[in-house]
Amino acid sequence: MSVFELYLSLGLHHIADFKGYDHILFILTLCVVYRLDEWRRVLVLITAFTIGHSLTLVLATLDVVRVDGDVIEFLIPLTIFITALTNLFARKKNVPSWQHYLKYTAALFFGLIHGLGFSNYLRNLLGSEKGLALPLFSFNVGIELGQIIIVTMIMLMTKLVVDVLGMPRREWNVLLSGAGLGVSLVLMAERFPF
């Protein structure tokens, strides 16, 4: 297995690992308000998140930025809480353009936080690597592919539940966002760093 394939696989498995379900939960709360026909917007939204976490992942792995891991572990569920809470206030069927651009900005900023969370894991993996560029790039591509797979599953599940089974879209949003809100509150209480 090449270095590219190894780190691609590690990135893919890291984002899809149910032990790290907080990242999956963030992606769920980020995307639950979108319909399947809005996939382009969602792709841009997830890419904004990836740009944010890629930036801090690189900076933290190269030891340019260092933030207390306990603080980051608290901030990750806080990003879920904020995203889920904003979903609960979404009343329209479609996300308005201004709100979508606000979501881009939030996803980018929240990506910075999540990247710091990924960095401890990656820093441990890269301990023996001589060159960092290819492993970092491969790991980020793996995370992006994993996120696209997760988003696709969420959007297909939403299509099934809302369009096929007939659950009102607002109720589906409240159900999943409410679950994200509840889990994030528990995680914040468990991870409170002070």
Side-chain angles (χ1 to χ4, degrees):
M1 181 179 288
S2 72
V3 170
F4 179 82
E5 292 170 327
L6 173 65
Y7 283 93
L8 176 85
S9 174
L10 289 170
L12 183 61
H13 289 105
H14 184 66
I15 193 68
D17 184 359
F18 284 108
K19 290 181 222 161
Y21 64 90
D22 50 356
H23 298 292
I24 296 171
L25 190 58
F26 175 75
I27 294 168
L28 173 78
T29 59
L30 191 63
C31 297
V32 71
V33 295
Y34 292 97
R35 296 181 326 271
L36 189 57
D37 64 348
E38 296 176 294
W39 66 269
R40 287 180 189 89
R41 284 184 154 187
V42 175
L43 185 60
V44 173
L45 189 66
I46 291 300
T47 301
F49 176 69
T50 299
I51 290 167
H53 77 68
S54 296
L55 179 63
T56 52
L57 182 62
V58 169
L59 293 175
T61 302
L62 295 174
D63 232 2
V64 174
V65 173
R66 217 173 244 284
V67 179
D68 182 2
D70 291 340
V71 172
I72 294 304
E73 288 305 312
F74 172 76
L75 290 176
I76 288 172
L78 181 61
T79 66
I80 299 165
F81 177 83
I82 292 168
T83 305
L85 189 63
T86 60
N87 288 349
L88 293 176
F89 290 107
R91 297 264 180 224
K92 298 181 179 175
K93 284 187 174 187
N94 298 331
V95 177
S97 292
W98 69 267
Q99 191 176 16
H100 189 67
Y101 291 116
L102 187 61
K103 282 181 161 281
Y104 282 156
T105 305
L108 180 69
F109 179 72
F110 292 163
L112 295 170
I113 294 168
H114 284 252
L116 291 169
F118 292 140
S119 66
N120 290 334
Y121 172 77
L122 186 58
R123 194 179 297 121
N124 291 333
L125 289 174
L126 291 173
S128 62
E129 291 293 336
K130 300 205 183 338
L132 296 180
L134 183 60
L136 278 168
F137 174 75
S138 307
F139 188 79
N140 278 311
V141 170
I143 287 175
E144 179 74 351
L145 287 174
Q147 289 175 162
I148 290 170
I149 291 167
I150 292 166
V151 167
T152 301
M153 292 186 330
I154 292 166
M155 296 192 82
L156 289 173
M157 184 174 60
T158 298
K159 176 85 173 160
L160 173 69
V161 171
V162 173
D163 294 343
V164 176
L165 299 178
M167 180 179 225
R169 180 155 196 74
R170 174 82 180 134
E171 288 180 25
W172 179 245
N173 176 26
V174 168
L175 175 71
L176 294 183
S177 296
L181 197 70
V183 172
S184 66
L185 283 171
V186 170
L187 290 173
M188 284 190 298
E190 290 174 353
R191 298 174 180 182
F192 192 71
F194 308 106

Short mmCIF file of all heavy atoms in Angstrom, two decimals, residues 31 34 38-50 100 104 144 147-148 151 155:
data_model
loop_
_atom_site.label_atom_id
_atom_site.label_comp_id
_atom_site.label_asym_id
_atom_site.label_seq_id
_atom_site.Cartn_x
_atom_site.Cartn_y
_atom_site.Cartn_z
N CYS A 31 -26.28 19.30 7.68
CA CYS A 31 -26.93 18.98 6.40
C CYS A 31 -28.42 18.65 6.48
O CYS A 31 -29.08 18.60 5.44
CB CYS A 31 -26.22 17.78 5.77
SG CYS A 31 -24.50 18.13 5.39
N TYR A 34 -31.25 20.46 4.40
CA TYR A 34 -31.19 20.52 2.94
C TYR A 34 -31.90 19.34 2.30
O TYR A 34 -31.91 18.24 2.83
CB TYR A 34 -29.74 20.56 2.47
CG TYR A 34 -29.04 21.84 2.85
CD1 TYR A 34 -28.26 21.92 3.99
CD2 TYR A 34 -29.20 22.99 2.07
CE1 TYR A 34 -27.63 23.10 4.34
CE2 TYR A 34 -28.57 24.17 2.42
CZ TYR A 34 -27.79 24.22 3.56
OH TYR A 34 -27.19 25.39 3.90
N GLU A 38 -30.63 19.97 -3.45
CA GLU A 38 -29.72 21.06 -3.07
C GLU A 38 -28.30 20.54 -2.84
O GLU A 38 -27.51 21.15 -2.16
CB GLU A 38 -30.22 21.75 -1.79
CG GLU A 38 -31.56 22.44 -1.94
CD GLU A 38 -32.04 23.02 -0.63
OE1 GLU A 38 -32.33 22.25 0.29
OE2 GLU A 38 -32.10 24.27 -0.53
N TRP A 39 -27.98 19.42 -3.45
CA TRP A 39 -26.71 18.75 -3.21
C TRP A 39 -25.51 19.63 -3.54
O TRP A 39 -24.47 19.51 -2.90
CB TRP A 39 -26.62 17.41 -3.97
CG TRP A 39 -26.61 17.56 -5.47
CD1 TRP A 39 -27.68 17.56 -6.30
CD2 TRP A 39 -25.45 17.72 -6.30
NE1 TRP A 39 -27.27 17.72 -7.60
CE2 TRP A 39 -25.90 17.81 -7.64
CE3 TRP A 39 -24.08 17.80 -6.05
CZ2 TRP A 39 -25.03 17.98 -8.70
CZ3 TRP A 39 -23.22 17.96 -7.12
CH2 TRP A 39 -23.69 18.04 -8.42
N ARG A 40 -25.63 20.52 -4.52
CA ARG A 40 -24.49 21.40 -4.84
C ARG A 40 -24.17 22.33 -3.68
O ARG A 40 -23.01 22.56 -3.35
CB ARG A 40 -24.78 22.22 -6.11
CG ARG A 40 -24.73 21.41 -7.38
CD ARG A 40 -25.03 22.30 -8.60
NE ARG A 40 -25.19 21.51 -9.80
CZ ARG A 40 -26.33 20.99 -10.22
NH1 ARG A 40 -27.44 21.17 -9.54
NH2 ARG A 40 -26.38 20.28 -11.33
N ARG A 41 -25.22 22.90 -3.09
CA ARG A 41 -25.01 23.76 -1.93
C ARG A 41 -24.37 23.00 -0.77
O ARG A 41 -23.49 23.51 -0.08
CB ARG A 41 -26.35 24.35 -1.45
CG ARG A 41 -26.86 25.46 -2.29
CD ARG A 41 -28.12 26.02 -1.68
NE ARG A 41 -28.27 27.40 -2.09
CZ ARG A 41 -29.19 28.20 -1.63
NH1 ARG A 41 -30.05 27.78 -0.74
NH2 ARG A 41 -29.27 29.43 -2.06
N VAL A 42 -24.83 21.79 -0.57
CA VAL A 42 -24.30 20.97 0.52
C VAL A 42 -22.84 20.62 0.25
O VAL A 42 -22.00 20.66 1.16
CB VAL A 42 -25.15 19.70 0.72
CG1 VAL A 42 -24.53 18.79 1.77
CG2 VAL A 42 -26.56 20.07 1.12
N LEU A 43 -22.51 20.32 -0.99
CA LEU A 43 -21.13 20.01 -1.34
C LEU A 43 -20.22 21.20 -1.05
O LEU A 43 -19.13 21.04 -0.50
CB LEU A 43 -21.03 19.59 -2.81
CG LEU A 43 -19.66 19.12 -3.29
CD1 LEU A 43 -19.19 17.90 -2.50
CD2 LEU A 43 -19.70 18.80 -4.77
N VAL A 44 -20.67 22.41 -1.40
CA VAL A 44 -19.89 23.61 -1.11
C VAL A 44 -19.78 23.81 0.41
O VAL A 44 -18.72 24.17 0.92
CB VAL A 44 -20.50 24.84 -1.80
CG1 VAL A 44 -19.80 26.12 -1.38
CG2 VAL A 44 -20.43 24.68 -3.32
N LEU A 45 -20.86 23.56 1.12
CA LEU A 45 -20.87 23.70 2.58
C LEU A 45 -19.87 22.75 3.22
O LEU A 45 -19.06 23.15 4.07
CB LEU A 45 -22.28 23.42 3.09
CG LEU A 45 -22.58 23.70 4.53
CD1 LEU A 45 -22.50 25.19 4.82
CD2 LEU A 45 -23.97 23.18 4.87
N ILE A 46 -19.87 21.50 2.81
CA ILE A 46 -18.94 20.50 3.35
C ILE A 46 -17.51 20.85 2.95
O ILE A 46 -16.58 20.68 3.73
CB ILE A 46 -19.33 19.08 2.87
CG1 ILE A 46 -20.65 18.67 3.51
CG2 ILE A 46 -18.25 18.07 3.17
CD1 ILE A 46 -20.63 18.63 5.02
N THR A 47 -17.33 21.37 1.75
CA THR A 47 -15.99 21.77 1.31
C THR A 47 -15.49 22.95 2.15
O THR A 47 -14.30 23.00 2.50
CB THR A 47 -15.99 22.11 -0.19
OG1 THR A 47 -16.43 20.93 -0.90
CG2 THR A 47 -14.60 22.48 -0.67
N ALA A 48 -16.37 23.89 2.50
CA ALA A 48 -15.97 24.99 3.38
C ALA A 48 -15.50 24.44 4.73
O ALA A 48 -14.47 24.87 5.27
CB ALA A 48 -17.13 25.97 3.59
N PHE A 49 -16.22 23.46 5.24
CA PHE A 49 -15.83 22.81 6.49
C PHE A 49 -14.46 22.13 6.32
O PHE A 49 -13.58 22.26 7.18
CB PHE A 49 -16.89 21.78 6.89
CG PHE A 49 -16.55 20.98 8.10
CD1 PHE A 49 -16.51 21.56 9.36
CD2 PHE A 49 -16.29 19.62 7.99
CE1 PHE A 49 -16.20 20.81 10.48
CE2 PHE A 49 -16.00 18.86 9.11
CZ PHE A 49 -15.94 19.46 10.36
N THR A 50 -14.26 21.46 5.20
CA THR A 50 -13.00 20.77 4.94
C THR A 50 -11.84 21.76 4.83
O THR A 50 -10.75 21.50 5.35
CB THR A 50 -13.10 19.93 3.64
OG1 THR A 50 -14.12 18.95 3.82
CG2 THR A 50 -11.79 19.25 3.32
N HIS A 100 -27.65 30.76 3.81
CA HIS A 100 -26.73 29.76 3.30
C HIS A 100 -25.29 30.29 3.35
O HIS A 100 -24.37 29.57 3.74
CB HIS A 100 -27.11 29.35 1.88
CG HIS A 100 -26.34 28.19 1.39
ND1 HIS A 100 -26.47 26.93 1.91
CD2 HIS A 100 -25.37 28.09 0.45
CE1 HIS A 100 -25.64 26.12 1.30
NE2 HIS A 100 -24.97 26.80 0.41
N TYR A 104 -22.01 28.89 5.28
CA TYR A 104 -20.66 28.69 4.74
C TYR A 104 -19.61 29.19 5.73
O TYR A 104 -18.63 28.51 6.02
CB TYR A 104 -20.45 29.47 3.44
CG TYR A 104 -21.04 28.91 2.18
CD1 TYR A 104 -21.31 29.76 1.12
CD2 TYR A 104 -21.31 27.56 2.03
CE1 TYR A 104 -21.84 29.28 -0.06
CE2 TYR A 104 -21.84 27.08 0.86
CZ TYR A 104 -22.11 27.94 -0.19
OH TYR A 104 -22.62 27.46 -1.35
N GLU A 144 -12.46 14.16 3.43
CA GLU A 144 -13.45 14.74 2.53
C GLU A 144 -14.31 13.66 1.88
O GLU A 144 -15.53 13.78 1.81
CB GLU A 144 -12.77 15.59 1.45
CG GLU A 144 -13.71 16.22 0.46
CD GLU A 144 -14.51 17.41 0.98
OE1 GLU A 144 -14.48 17.70 2.19
OE2 GLU A 144 -15.21 18.04 0.17
N GLN A 147 -16.71 12.37 4.45
CA GLN A 147 -17.80 13.32 4.68
C GLN A 147 -18.81 13.27 3.55
O GLN A 147 -20.01 13.34 3.79
CB GLN A 147 -17.24 14.75 4.83
CG GLN A 147 -16.50 14.93 6.11
CD GLN A 147 -15.84 16.29 6.24
OE1 GLN A 147 -15.51 16.65 7.33
NE2 GLN A 147 -15.62 17.03 5.17
N ILE A 148 -18.35 13.16 2.33
CA ILE A 148 -19.27 13.09 1.18
C ILE A 148 -20.12 11.83 1.28
O ILE A 148 -21.34 11.88 1.02
CB ILE A 148 -18.49 13.16 -0.15
CG1 ILE A 148 -17.92 14.58 -0.33
CG2 ILE A 148 -19.37 12.78 -1.33
CD1 ILE A 148 -16.94 14.72 -1.47
N VAL A 151 -22.68 12.51 4.09
CA VAL A 151 -23.69 13.46 3.63
C VAL A 151 -24.65 12.79 2.65
O VAL A 151 -25.87 13.00 2.72
CB VAL A 151 -23.02 14.69 2.97
CG1 VAL A 151 -24.02 15.53 2.21
CG2 VAL A 151 -22.33 15.53 4.03
N MET A 155 -28.64 12.58 3.20
CA MET A 155 -29.59 13.16 2.24
C MET A 155 -30.51 12.10 1.64
O MET A 155 -31.70 12.36 1.42
CB MET A 155 -28.84 13.95 1.18
CG MET A 155 -28.12 15.14 1.82
SD MET A 155 -27.49 16.31 0.64
CE MET A 155 -28.98 17.25 0.33
#
